[in-house]
Amino acid sequence: QLQLAESGGGSVQPGGSLRLSCSASGGTHDFYAMAWFRRAPGKEREGVSCISIGERGTLYADSVKGRFTASRDNPKNSAVLQMNSLKPEDTALYYCAAAEYYYCSDDLSNWEDDMDHWGQGTQVTVSS
């Protein structure tokens, strides 16, 4: 069965950068959407970014716009999240996810239910 796996998490000082990677195994799929989510301690999981196939652009949560850049390689079914100017509030477990039937919704609250596959998560810690 298809699986997603994240890598690249770690500990960094405020203002630093990290790059997260997501790769798929167990099959090749043309995912309608690939997204990143995160969950901080004591908070609900929230959408960070989402990219649909085709020329539809990239969607970001307001909290990360201008600091994070998401990309995907459709033939390889892989994704990257470049995180710059990291803040302590970015500390969270970050998840890669993919949808087989839905494009990214303009409403971020719809992203989670639209995802069909999830990675196990990679920890990002931003502290001084």
Side-chain angles (χ1 to χ4, degrees):
Q1 295 185 350
L2 187 141
Q3 295 180 323
L4 300 178
E6 307 93 339
S7 63
S11 181
V12 66
Q13 294 183 335
S17 299
L18 285 173
R19 190 177 79 163
L20 306 183
S21 297
C22 173
S23 61
S25 63
T28 301
H29 299 269
D30 293 328
F31 300 124
Y32 274 42
M34 294 195 73
W36 290 92
F37 296 80
R38 67 185 183 185
R39 184 160 70 180
K43 295 184 178 181
E44 297 293 324
R45 185 159 57 188
E46 63 177 350
V48 175
S49 67
C50 189
I51 304 178
S52 299
I53 60 174
E55 297 296 329
R56 293 177 171 83
T58 305
L59 302 177
Y60 297 95
D62 288 340
S63 60
V64 306
K65 286 182 179 178
R67 300 188 298 117
F68 291 9
T69 302
S71 60
R72 64 179 290 183
D73 187 328
N74 293 326
K76 298 180 179 179
N77 288 316
S78 63
V80 169
L81 182 67
Q82 178 66 46
M83 305 184 294
N84 299 323
S85 302
L86 284 163
K87 304 175 180 179
E89 52 262 43
D90 295 318
T91 296
L93 188 65
Y94 283 72
Y95 300 88
C96 174
E100 294 186 358
Y101 309 108
Y102 295 95
Y103 295 114
C104 303
S105 172
D106 290 336
D107 186 347
L108 275 64
S109 65
N110 293 329
W111 290 0
E112 184 167 358
D113 288 343
D114 290 343
M115 299 297 123
D116 300 292
H117 306 284
W118 293 84
Q120 78 287 346
T122 185
Q123 180 66 40
V124 171
T125 302
V126 185
S127 65
S128 58

